Amino acid sequence: MGRATRLAAACAAAALLTIGVPATGANAAEPTPRIDLRVLVVTDGGPATQAIIAELEGSGTPYTTVDLAAAGRPKIDEAFLSDSVDGRPRARYQAVVLPDDNPFGDGSAEMAALASYEKRFGIRQVDAYTYARPAVGLNYAQNPGYMGSLDGRTAQVTAAGASGPFGYLDGRIPFEDNSASVTESYGYLAVPLDQQAPGAGYTSYVDAPIDGTSARGSLIGEYTHDGRSELVVTFVYNQHQSQYRLLARGIVEWATQGIHLGADRNYLAVHVDDVLGSDDRWDTELNCTPGDIDCGSAGSGVENDPIRMTAADAEHAEQWSRSHDLPLDLAYNAGGSESYKEEHDGTDPLAQRLITDQSAFRWINHTYNHPFLGCVQDTGVVPWRCAEDPLGGTRWVGLGEIASQIDDNLAWAGRNNIAVDRGELVTGEHSGLRTLPQQPEDNPNLSPALTLTGVTSLASDNSREREQRTLGPARTVPRFPMNIFYNAGRTAEQVDEYNWIYTRKADGGSGLCETTANTTCLPEPLDTATGYASYIVPLESRIALSHVIANDPRPHFIHQSNLAEDRIAYPVLEKVLADYAGLHADNTPLVNLRMKDIGSELRRRAAWDAAVDAGRVSGYRIGDTVTVTTDGSHVPATLPPGTELAQTQGGVPFGSPYAGRRSGWAGPAGLQSAVVFTLPGGATPAAESAPVTAARVQKPAPEPVLPSGVREPVPYGPGDTAVSYGLGDTAGESVRQPRR
């Protein structure tokens, strides 16, 4: 994964981000100021500031936006930025994000107020996207320099970035290049000024080589001047692009000096559905799946050729899980094993192997026989519809059948001493939950069945329902469907079905890509021999990795068929793991949670967000003490190493280490209404002074005029505002054939 030196760099970063005191411009007799833990984002509506808002929102970090285009927006002045509480000066915002280094124009009173505020309280400013020029400590992007598309380039974290805010990265930052016809990221590469104003300096944190020269141009750097610090970003991005997702954590950590509410981690969990059962196989001649109602019927001569793991596949899964330190979550159907035994002299080598190696996995109840648990399906029509009773009402699968499917599966696990959390459940096809368009409401018998059987975490399909919701005693856990088809055990089958879905009728496909929203067509069919490795694996791994690095704990799910025969799931999973390891340092490992813990994380986030939005929680810092008043909600926070959580009987270490900080959740102690953290000594809220070399501290150079050919930041282009994930995934979701 990362280099060993990165761990040392992360420790250095912990110290680097928390030094200094807000002495500049402050009265020595003035009490230690109070710094409210809230970020001010001044936005122009462009993708760069929106991306930073998305990071703050996703991690649960409180923020306030001021839209420059909004009529009647508040004026940013001293009264807006600060006041006093209990005789103590208060900074209302711990960091400032601007769309560029001066969005108000030259001589603006608002910019002057911000500059004074930042200097007085040691507040940092992020310039979300600006162009290289002396006003931000850089030469123009000329001689040497570059301005233009950054698509396909690889940037690098500098030594200063690795020992500072980006110490959680392993160094490389690849820029996406998903379309040859669209500029996805425009930027400026420039070197720091040779002559800086007295006391000023520029330290590059992320750079890239400048074509045709030996120089490297900065893409992100810290410009210190006039007692203030700005993070200068000279390329545009949106919230979905991988280069931004990799850098988002560091931008926020730098801005907040590593002390803020909210937390950001990288998650990966993989659920394997239908284990012990079998999955119908795609027919490459019929272009459908025998067993589905739209692919022939009984007596039509169409036969099913099901896909089922073998004992050798199970052994491989055990070895893979252990060697990759990623336990697969096996959603099992015990009835599949019992049916197999009935047809094979009472033995099932697959079940025996999995039972022997059970500790390598986590097990999830997937019902005994995988029936559809919603309405009673009328399969006499295509597509199917809900059957009706004589009065025209919907016929529902009954409470007894749902409960027995849950309990019988648990009983099988009990007989085989397999550890299963009875609170977790994945129904077949996520059935029982509403299924549009045929079943627009939940099976009314599902909720009482969940109560009867003790289910508290119920899987749902993230492509249908992204948000959690409550059903009786249970909360749903949305899962990402991976675009590795349930009905494919061989690469040729996967590619053939992929071609059927994603090629035009003129090219031999179904033409669905021509009529389905948010789905694009392949320029030509993939080669069935090479298309999986050359196209599908890179695309699907990139989509999965985009979820992983977006602070999204939702699990991904595949099917047991994908671990059988050609074992087509492993190349995708291995590329996700390899790409992640090549981008992150050892101090930022993947977090692998079981389903109920994912549900708890999502539930806590929702409660925290609601409390923040309603103004029921607030946090502030005075010196080395952080206080968060709360309505009882648990508080997410990211704080320096050595931080302690106050308890009624002393303090205890807070959270756990991640990405060079400590983060986690904390609740009020005893009957208190506040959560109190004690920071390690010296972690005071002030602007960090970047290292300034003697060569850079010289007499100020005159401000040059804008050279010919140099442009201010280009308008946001199509690649800056749109997400280009590839076929069928314009919103980061995979198109998946429904399992029958």
Side-chain angles (χ1 to χ4, degrees), residues 38-46 49-50 53 56 63-77 80-81 93 95-99 103-104 110 114:
R38 176 172 285 269
V39 176
L40 173 63
V41 182
V42 178
T43 179
D44 61 354
T49 48
Q50 294 306 116
I53 288 172
L56 297 172
Y63 66 93
T64 294
T65 58
V66 173
D67 186 345
L68 292 173
R73 70 168 177 85
K75 181 181 179 182
I76 298 176
D77 55 16
F80 177 82
L81 297 167
Y93 308 101
V96 174
V97 176
L98 301 180
F104 306 101
E110 290 183 291
L114 273 171

Side-chain angles (χ1 to χ4, degrees), residues 640-712:
T643 297
E644 291 194 339
L645 172 64
Q647 301 284 288
T648 52
Q649 300 296 324
V652 297
F654 163 68
S656 57
Y658 197 79
R661 320 300 294 167
R662 291 190 74 87
S663 57
W665 293 86
L671 300 177
Q672 298 176 358
S673 60
V675 179
V676 179
F677 303 97
T678 303
L679 304 176
T684 49
E688 169 194 331
S689 296
V692 181
T693 64
R696 290 181 183 170
V697 182
Q698 299 179 10
K699 64 181 181 180
E703 179 84 3
V705 297
L706 194 68
S708 174
V710 174
R711 293 175 291 171
E712 297 198 14

Side-chain angles (χ1 to χ4, degrees), residues 162-176:
S163 63
F166 301 104
Y168 59 92
L169 294 174
D170 201 34
R172 293 186 315 110
I173 303 170
F175 276 62
E176 292 184 2

Side-chain angles (χ1 to χ4, degrees), residues 263-277:
D264 184 336
R265 297 196 174 197
N266 298 331
Y267 299 86
L268 178 63
V270 180
H271 293 186
V272 185
D273 287 7
D274 305 350
V275 171
L276 297 176

